[in-house]
Amino acid sequence: MFQTIRDRSAVFIAGMSETLDNNDDIVIRVATVDDTEQLIEFLHVHYYRDEPLTVGTEPLTPDAADVDFLRSNFPAGACLMALCNDRIVGGAIAGPKLPDIGTEIFEEARKYAGTKWGCILGMLAICERDANAFQRFNVDKIMHLNALGVDTSLRGRRIGERLVTALIARSRELDYPLLTVDCTSLYSARLIKRLGFELLNTVPYADYVNAAGQQLIRPPAPHECVQTYAMRL
Ligand code: COA
C-alpha cells in the first residue's frame, strides 16, 4: 500500500541558515481533498509563477477556471505533496483522463475562447490530439500529470523527480495502465526523460499561432516546446 516515500538526504534551503536532514527529511504523501487549498496556495507561488504556459500568456496570474481545474483533480487520490517538517516543498497534481478527452478539451478551449485559460487549453488540445495516447497504447484510461511544482529555493535537487517516481507508484496502485504528461518546461522534460518516459510528440510554441500568424504563447528561454511523454505502468 502506498503511503509515504522518505528521502533522508540533506537538503539545504537557499536563503535560510539551516539544513534539512535526518529528522527534517522530505516525505511524499497523497494530498487529500482537505489539503486542496494549502497545496493550491503553494502552487500559486511555486508553480504558476514559472510555468511556461502561464508566464507565456497575459495576464500573468492564472484564470480561476485553470485553478478550479487543478482543484478538480484531488478526489481521484493521485495528487501528491512533498513535505519537509510539515512545510510543503513540492506538489504534483494528477488526475484521470478518459478516451473522449480529445473532443472534450477542444470544446473547453472553444468555451473559454478569448481568455488566458482558453488559449492554454487550445495548446493542450493540440498536444492531446497529436500524442494520440489512447489509440497508440490501446488503453481505456490514463493517469495524467497536470501540474508539477517545486519550492523555488529547492529546485534542481530531484524533489520533482521524487514526486514523479511516487506518482508512478500511486498510479500503478490505482490500476492505471499508462501515465502521461505534457512537459511545458524544458526542466520537467529533462526530469521525465531521465525517468524513462517515452516521447510521443513535440509541439513548438512558435507553431501555435492565431489566424494572423501571431504566436499565442511566448514563454521565456529556455522553454521552446511542449513535449508529451508516456510511461506504461
Ligand atoms: N536551475 C537549474 N536547473 C534546474 C532548475 C533551476 N532553477 N530547476 C530545474 N532544473 C533542472 C535540473 O538540473 C534537472 O535537469 P538535469 O536532469 O539535466 O539535471 C531538471 O531541471 C529537473 O530536475 P529535478 O531536480 O528532478 O526537478 P526539480 O525538483 O527542480 O523540479 C520542476 C522541476 C519543473 C518541477 C521545477 O523546475 C518547477 O517547479 N518549475 C516551475 C513549474 C513548472 O514549470 N512545472 C513544470 C510544468 S510541466
Side-chain angles (χ1 to χ4, degrees), residues 13 18 24 58 62 98 124 131 133 138 143 156 159 165 169 175 177 185 221 223:
I13 298 186
E18 59 174 307
D24 301 325
E58 292 289 335
L98 295 172
L124 294 177
N138 192 25
M143 182 60 76
I159 296 174
T165 302
D175 210 22
S185 148
H223 313 293

Side-chain angles (χ1 to χ4, degrees), residues 37-98:
E37 293 315 315
Q38 251 206 102
L39 192 47
I40 291 288
E41 198 181 316
F42 170 85
L43 294 172
H44 271 293
V45 180
H46 299 285
Y47 168 74
Y48 282 120
R49 286 184 191 172
D50 291 319
E51 192 282 317
L53 297 176
T54 313
V55 297
T57 46
E58 292 289 335
L60 288 180
T61 49
D63 284 357
D66 180 341
V67 184
D68 282 345
F69 169 67
L70 290 195
R71 283 193 178 98
S72 73
N73 286 268
F74 283 74
C79 293
L80 304 177
M81 57 210 283
L83 295 158
C84 189
N85 265 350
D86 291 334
R87 168 188 156 197
I88 301 177
V89 295
I93 307 296
K97 266 187 179 179
L98 295 172

Side-chain angles (χ1 to χ4, degrees), residues 27 44 54-55 64 96 109 136 161 164 170 173 182 187 194 228:
V27 173
H44 271 293
T54 313
V55 297
R136 198 190 289 236
E161 179 178 315
V164 176
R170 181 61 176 159
E173 189 178 68
D182 298 313
Y187 299 141
R194 203 171 56 224
T228 303

Side-chain angles (χ1 to χ4, degrees), residues 42-43 46-53 89 91 145-152 154-164 181-192 194-195 223:
F42 170 85
L43 294 172
H46 299 285
Y47 168 74
Y48 282 120
R49 286 184 191 172
D50 291 319
E51 192 282 317
L53 297 176
V89 295
L145 174 56
N146 288 302
L148 182 68
V150 167
D151 187 308
T152 318
L154 294 171
R155 298 220 178 123
R157 294 167 192 273
R158 304 291 190 252
I159 296 174
E161 179 178 315
R162 290 177 222 164
L163 277 162
V164 176
V181 53
D182 298 313
C183 292
T184 61
S185 148
L186 177 69
Y187 299 141
S188 58
R190 272 193 204 156
L191 178 172
I192 287 290
R194 203 171 56 224
L195 286 173
H223 313 293

